[in-house]
Amino acid sequence: MDAYVALEGGHVVEARGRAPGTANGELVFTTAYTGYEESLTDPSYEEQILTFAYPLIGNYGVRSERFESDRVHPRAAVTREMTDDVAEWLAEEDVPAVDHIDTRDLVTDIREEGAMACGIAVGDDVTPEDALAELEDCVPMSDHTDIGAQVSVAEPVVHNAESDGSTVALVDCGAKRSIVDSLVERGATVHVLPYDATADDVAEIDPELLFISNGPGDPENFDAAVDLVDTYVGEVPIAGICLGQQIVARALGGTTEKMDFGHRGVNQPVRDYDTGKVVMTTQNHGYTVADAPEALEVSQVNVNDGTPEGLDSEDLDIITRQYHPEANPGPHDSLSFFDDVLGLTGSKRTIVAD
Ligand SMILES: NC(=O)CC[C@H](N)C(=O)O
């Protein structure tokens, strides 16, 4: 199979085809050396093309127990060397894949030039022009204005309904399965709601915690979730992970901005101001909170670049994190986040119904 990868600016790189098809998307990377099944099924990669910096992808097979959702989300996968297991899985999923590319070089380019548009063509008769035609069709991430609809549940789903633990309303903007699992393991009943759930939908559940999930794209394209946080702030404790932190920040008057190439790996150091400790975290985001809202304290920062990694308010019962405490892939240093947010659930005040 022939394969061509066209990069922003028009440079085309030849590769080996591993799964056929054509695709375009924002080219991003992960430096993680494990967790390819988790990353490839993480809904946060919707509309992106994922390059793996680690040179061998697939060396421990493909097992659905490790999937973070029910499908592959990146539009295409780019690797140095991919095993047949992974190539066959991606072919079944209709996701084009290539290998025999110097991905460390590619990652260096992304770090120097920023996340970039990319077009890929893989198949028996494809040409460099096919990859360039895909590149031409690639739109900026912020133009995917209803990306939430591509990754969210269409109807509410309840997990662990019989439990007498805390009741959580999880707004699914592209939630990873491990977030639901981490809450259920701690006894919570989790009501997964569509990304555009209304205040009334939440009121019907009468939750003790409103949780905004991770997800793909630009946080400015998630106004429904911003409205929900705005409605319930101060009434119900609120938690957020990654996109969730960005949405909570926007709802309270903060701003977000696009980073050059984001935080993309499983060894991102985060300092907690309170304890002074640094933990290693999993990260996969291209936007960041630029101005934190006054009502929230920046409780944790990224050691590399000082961007906010945690926003908290004791008065409002809010805890959000820019990284992924649920890990998968990555270190388990921050799993106690789930104990902390469920610890807020005693502090529900009243439920607002419109
Ligand atoms: N993992 C995530 O939730 C990513 C959040 C957001 N889409 C970003 O890229 O910044």
Side-chain angles (χ1 to χ4, degrees):
M1 256 187 288
D2 297 323
Y4 298 97
V5 178
L7 304 172
E8 196 168 311
H11 179 56
V12 180
V13 184
E14 196 171 354
R16 177 169 75 158
R18 302 294 272 127
T22 56
N24 65 68
E26 179 187 57
L27 184 65
V28 297
F29 62 88
T30 176
T31 60
Y33 28 85
T34 60
Y36 48 89
E37 298 137 299
E38 290 89 333
S39 295
L40 286 165
T41 52
D42 178 346
S44 306
Y45 288 107
E46 186 81 4
E47 300 294 355
Q48 293 177 322
I49 291 178
L50 179 56
T51 304
F52 290 88
Y54 188 73
L56 175 57
I57 294 303
N59 49 354
Y60 49 89
V62 175
R63 298 208 6 217
S64 57
E65 316 66 303
R66 293 193 282 254
F67 292 178
E68 283 294 325
S69 69
D70 53 14
R71 69 176 171 90
V72 173
H73 286 274
R75 289 276 169 259
V78 176
T79 60
R80 175 73 187 83
E81 191 79 44
M82 175 183 290
T83 62
D84 290 346
D85 284 343
V86 175
E88 281 159 23
W89 172 41
L90 293 175
E92 271 164 32
E93 292 259 344
D94 282 329
V95 174
V98 303
D99 68 2
H100 288 191
I101 273 195
D102 185 344
T103 53
R104 293 184 186 206
D105 197 35
L106 199 53
V107 170
T108 306
D109 284 351
I110 300 171
R111 285 183 54 108
E112 277 163 12
E113 316 280 328
M116 56 179 87
C118 180
I120 282 192
V122 186
D124 287 336
D125 304 309
V126 296
T127 63
E129 287 66 37
D130 295 328
L132 285 164
E134 280 293 333
L135 176 66
E136 191 88 345
D137 289 345
C138 188
V139 300
M141 190 51 82
S142 53
D143 286 6
H144 293 287
T145 51
D146 202 21
I147 198 166
Q150 297 172 216
V151 291
S152 177
V153 291
E155 299 294 329
V157 178
V158 188
H159 298 265
N160 209 18
E162 303 306 315
S163 170
D164 56 5
S166 308
T167 304
V168 179
L170 173 66
V171 181
D172 176 15
C173 302
K176 286 170 68 185
R177 200 166 271 164
S178 297
I179 295 179
V180 175
D181 292 348
S182 299
L183 293 165
V184 165
E185 273 163 25
R186 289 165 175 78
T189 298
V190 182
H191 295 256
V192 182
L193 297 178
Y195 76 109
D196 58 353
T198 63
D200 283 346
D201 295 332
V202 173
E204 229 170 86
I205 289 160
D206 192 13
E208 296 166 86
L209 177 68
L210 178 63
F211 198 128
I212 314 294
S213 81
N214 66 293
D218 186 339
E220 292 201 15
N221 288 328
F222 284 85
D223 284 345
V226 168
D227 289 348
L228 274 188
V229 173
D230 185 42
T231 303
Y232 284 100
V233 67
E235 306 293 336
V236 177
I238 296 174
I241 289 180
C242 206
L243 179 76
Q245 163 157 305
Q246 300 162 356
I247 286 171
V248 171
R250 283 195 60 219
L252 273 78
T255 60
T256 52
E257 66 184 4
K258 192 146 167 76
M259 306 165 86
D260 287 340
F261 51 85
H263 293 154
R264 307 194 170 279
V266 295
N267 59 351
Q268 287 281 331
V270 168
R271 181 187 306 280
D272 183 284
Y273 280 131
D274 206 25
T275 61
K277 282 190 181 155
V278 173
V279 289
M280 283 298 156
T281 66
T282 293
Q283 305 214 12
N284 157 32
H285 61 104
Y287 292 83
T288 186
V289 172
D291 299 302
E294 263 173 39
L296 300 179
E297 178 200 347
V298 178
S299 57
Q300 302 187 338
V301 285
N302 189 294
V303 175
N304 293 335
D305 63 10
T307 52
E309 294 283 0
L311 300 175
D312 296 28
S313 167
E314 266 185 44
D315 292 343
L316 298 171
D317 291 315
I318 295 177
I319 304 178
T320 70
R321 296 293 177 256
Q322 185 58 60
Y323 54 90
H324 288 270
E326 77 284 1
N328 290 337
H332 292 181
D333 297 22
S334 323
L335 283 173
S336 59
F337 166 81
F338 292 95
D339 300 314
D340 295 343
V341 297
L342 288 171
L344 299 175
T345 58
S347 35
K348 180 175 71 157
R349 284 115 178 176
T350 52
I351 280 288
V352 183
D354 276 354

